[in-house]
Amino acid sequence: MRRGLAIFLITLSILVIYLIHSVYTLLTLLVENGSADAIHSAEIPAPNSPLIDNMARYIPKIIHQTYINESVPEHWREAQRSCIDLHEDYEYKMWTDAKSRELIATEYPWFLNTFDNYSQPIQRADAIRYFVLAHFGGIYIDLDDLFQGCNRRLDPLLSYPAWVRRTAPTGISNDAMGSTPQHPFFLTVIESLRAYDKNWRLPYITVMYSTGPLFLSVIWKKYMSSGVNTGDDANGGRVRILMMDEYNRYPWSFFSHHKGSSWHGKDARLIFWMGSHWIMLTLMGFLLAGVVGFGAWWVWNRALLLGQQKRIKKREGGVWERAMAWTNWGSGKGGYELTERHEAKCFNSSPSLPITLRSPLIDAPRSSIPYPTLFPPTPPNYHPPPPPRMPTLASRRTTAEQAAASSAALRGAAVGAAKFGGASLLLAVVGTLVSPLYRNLTIQFKVFLQLSGMTLGGWIEADRRLRGYEFWRLMEQRRARDEAVWREWERRIGEGPRTVEKKD
């Protein structure tokens, strides 16, 4: 592998490692299914079962919901009424905008500035649900975003110190939650709100990652890693997970679910469209990444090879300078001999001695002259042609060479993608068979890993083939130059000895 590509790949690897470190918690959510803390169906008695009365109850009987004011829209009242009618012995709290701000100003003044400066009203609706659970305890049931009704009494869920529900494709949601007062998880959540108050330009992303389900999922993942997610009694810190089956899939599930999404805008619809066309977008993303990566690689190599070309020109010089660097033909013993005297004079250490220098090869038959491994001095009056430029990416001189180089690179990219793609596929099969971690990855992430291996293999093999082609062209050019020098010597030798007279 050439040095330029190695530096490029190292730089790219450092950038990728930095990006992975920045979103490491988000990536770990892809393999987190919450099964370790799941509330299993066997733990939940059937509706109206006498076993419910024997269960310990840690969460207070309070139902929290939020809306702008007390006038709940007509199409939401049925879901609201279903929860109130099933839980006549529960305290019901409707948190309007005014009541929410009053609670924050009275009990949590350190958060009031952040609360008032949220750019989206749904962010305040998200934040207040965490504060009321941390302050009063109870069960929060969403009314605005994904409004839902109660399908059965929620008494079995009071037996856990805190619970949230699992959502698809990964993480947890904040539309149904329960907690004891001052539970450490929800205290961690409200303490983290200010640190995650950032504007991500798109309103949907801003809401999701500042106060919404994505924010809550990240805090949950960090909370599980902190070592305090233990204990199922009244003072326990464990957060249990209500799985989809117990949530709303069956007649014995706790909730009935109705789509609302009142706060979603055009950006949310765009993101949902992207989610439904993820295969096409993944392929387009890799194509774009390949184009950008190849462009960066080409710019890097052009700058690197232009500098290399200048260094080579400075080091090699002309054909004769390179030949003289290989040998000094006349310095060896017997390299030249005194063959006969003439009236002409030659430049030497004794100017009064007329001599002619003659090579031993002159008396040999033409057919017996071997191809020398070292070159003799240059013939008189020989003017070598200018050396051809080194055949690199930056100095291709003919369309044929460019086509040949492109063909070699394309073949290498195809072969490398096939090799690394096959290896990635084999590793995927092995991972599916032996690794629960890999099996829990989303299909999108698995496709990403497969295409990443193919892209990396294509780059490496294309560079190797191109490097081999450049080396072959360099050897061809050197062979042609050496052959030209030798043919010139053959011609000069065939013309016989030359004498040079020193001028007075």
Side-chain angles (χ1 to χ4, degrees):
M1 184 185 299
R2 71 174 70 185
R3 184 180 63 178
L5 179 61
I7 296 175
F8 177 77
L9 290 178
I10 292 173
T11 304
L12 185 63
S13 299
I14 294 174
L15 177 61
V16 170
I17 292 173
Y18 170 76
L19 293 176
I20 291 176
H21 179 267
S22 301
V23 296
Y24 177 75
T25 304
L26 292 176
L27 293 177
T28 57
L29 283 175
L30 297 175
V31 298
E32 180 59 61
N33 57 13
S35 58
D37 299 308
I39 301 175
H40 299 286
S41 301
E43 301 178 43
I44 303 175
N48 302 318
S49 171
L51 295 176
I52 297 177
D53 296 332
N54 298 328
M55 299 178 68
R57 295 175 181 174
Y58 306 126
I59 296 178
K61 291 184 175 182
I62 305 174
I63 292 178
H64 302 276
Q65 290 189 309
T66 62
Y67 191 61
I68 301 172
N69 49 48
E70 299 286 351
S71 301
V72 178
E74 183 67 30
H75 58 279
W76 289 347
R77 290 180 184 175
E78 181 181 354
Q80 179 193 30
R81 180 53 54 185
S82 68
C83 292
I84 295 176
D85 292 345
L86 279 172
H87 302 88
E88 295 180 351
D89 55 334
Y90 281 56
E91 180 182 0
Y92 180 79
K93 290 180 176 289
M94 171 61 72
W95 293 95
T96 63
D97 288 355
K99 291 180 179 179
S100 299
R101 191 181 188 283
E102 181 181 358
L103 175 67
I104 298 298
T106 303
E107 301 292 341
Y108 304 97
W110 54 268
F111 189 73
L112 183 61
N113 184 60
T114 303
F115 187 82
D116 288 340
N117 288 324
Y118 276 134
S119 60
Q120 303 292 328
I122 187 60
Q123 291 176 286
R124 286 184 282 274
D126 282 337
I128 193 61
R129 65 190 68 179
Y130 307 135
F131 280 97
V132 298
L133 288 179
H135 189 79
F136 299 101
I139 294 177
Y140 173 83
I141 304 172
D142 208 353
L143 182 67
D144 182 24
D145 176 20
L146 298 173
F147 66 95
Q148 49 206 329
C150 295
N151 198 44
R152 57 174 287 186
R153 283 183 64 89
L154 305 178
D155 294 343
L157 296 178
L158 303 179
S159 301
Y160 307 101
W163 60 269
V164 292
R165 82 166 183 93
R166 180 83 163 85
T167 190
T170 185
I172 58 176
S173 181
N174 65 351
D175 56 3
M177 306 175 288
S179 170
T180 58
Q182 303 299 306
H183 191 276
F185 172 66
F186 284 97
L187 292 178
T188 302
V189 171
I190 63 177
E191 289 174 359
S192 304
L193 282 169
R194 288 195 296 183
Y196 282 80
D197 181 24
K198 298 178 181 179
N199 189 342
W200 297 94
R201 303 303 177 187
L202 291 177
Y204 182 81
I205 300 298
T206 299
V207 172
M208 290 291 288
Y209 200 53
S210 63
T211 59
L214 186 57
F215 158 77
L216 188 65
S217 298
V218 170
I219 302 302
W220 169 62
K221 185 63 179 176
K222 292 182 177 180
Y223 181 80
M224 289 193 297
S225 303
S226 65
V228 297
N229 189 38
T230 58
D232 284 324
D233 55 10
N235 298 320
R238 189 179 182 188
V239 179
R240 302 297 297 273
I241 306 301
L242 185 67
M243 307 303 282
M244 297 301 295
D245 288 350
E246 293 73 30
Y247 174 58
N248 68 348
R249 286 183 176 176
Y250 297 101
W252 47 266
S253 300
F254 286 101
F255 300 99
S256 58
H257 202 191
H258 311 276
K259 292 288 184 181
S261 306
S262 63
W263 64 274
H264 289 177
K266 293 181 179 179
D267 61 322
R269 291 192 290 271
L270 173 62
I271 292 174
F272 293 151
W273 178 87
M274 293 170 63
S276 61
H277 298 82
W278 67 269
I279 296 179
M280 178 189 70
L281 293 176
T282 299
L283 295 176
M284 291 178 60
F286 270 93
L287 179 61
L288 179 61
V291 171
V292 173
F294 181 80
W297 174 69
W298 181 85
V299 170
W300 172 269
N301 276 274
R302 184 174 179 83
L304 187 68
L305 293 175
L306 284 175
Q308 182 182 12
Q309 180 186 358
K310 292 180 180 179
R311 291 193 299 270
I312 290 174
K313 282 185 175 180
K314 184 177 180 180
R315 182 174 66 250
E316 288 192 346
V319 173
W320 172 238
E321 287 80 354
R322 180 170 57 84
M324 287 300 295
W326 291 346
T327 182
N328 184 358
W329 185 269
S331 61
K333 182 178 180 181
Y336 288 92
E337 60 178 323
L338 234 129
T339 56
E340 56 181 332
R341 293 180 180 271
H342 294 275
E343 293 298 324
K345 296 181 180 179
C346 181
F347 296 100
N348 56 74
S349 58
S350 180
S352 62
L353 178 64
I355 61 172
T356 297
L357 291 178
R358 190 173 184 183
S359 171
L361 295 177
I362 293 178
D363 298 327
R366 290 287 299 274
S367 60
S368 64
I369 298 177
Y371 192 96
T373 57
L374 300 176
F375 295 116
T378 181
N381 302 321
Y382 174 64
H383 301 285
R389 301 173 66 187
M390 174 181 259
T392 63
L393 282 176
S395 59
R396 294 276 191 260
R397 297 177 62 186
T398 65
T399 304
E401 288 182 355
Q402 293 174 354
S406 300
S407 177
L410 288 176
R411 288 195 301 271
V415 172
K419 288 181 178 179
F420 278 67
S424 300
L425 184 60
L426 180 61
L427 291 176
V429 173
V430 174
T432 303
L433 294 176
V434 303
S435 174
L437 181 66
Y438 185 82
R439 285 196 296 269
N440 289 328
L441 292 177
T442 62
I443 184 64
Q444 293 93 332
F445 196 66
K446 291 178 181 177
V447 172
F448 170 78
L449 293 177
Q450 178 71 24
L451 293 181
S452 296
M454 296 174 65
T455 303
L456 179 62
W459 278 4
I460 293 176
E461 187 64 20
D463 179 77
R464 190 184 71 82
R465 296 286 183 97
L466 195 58
R467 187 69 169 175
Y469 176 79
E470 291 177 359
F471 180 76
W472 175 78
R473 287 297 303 158
L474 176 62
M475 294 298 101
E476 284 293 304
Q477 293 286 355
R478 287 182 175 176
R479 184 192 62 79
R481 284 183 288 184
D482 295 346
E483 185 177 356
V485 172
W486 174 248
R487 290 187 182 278
E488 180 63 20
W489 264 104
E490 283 186 325
R491 186 181 69 82
R492 293 294 184 178
I493 291 172
E495 293 178 355
R498 291 175 177 268
T499 59
V500 180
E501 182 177 357
K502 181 180 179 182
K503 297 181 180 180
D504 295 331

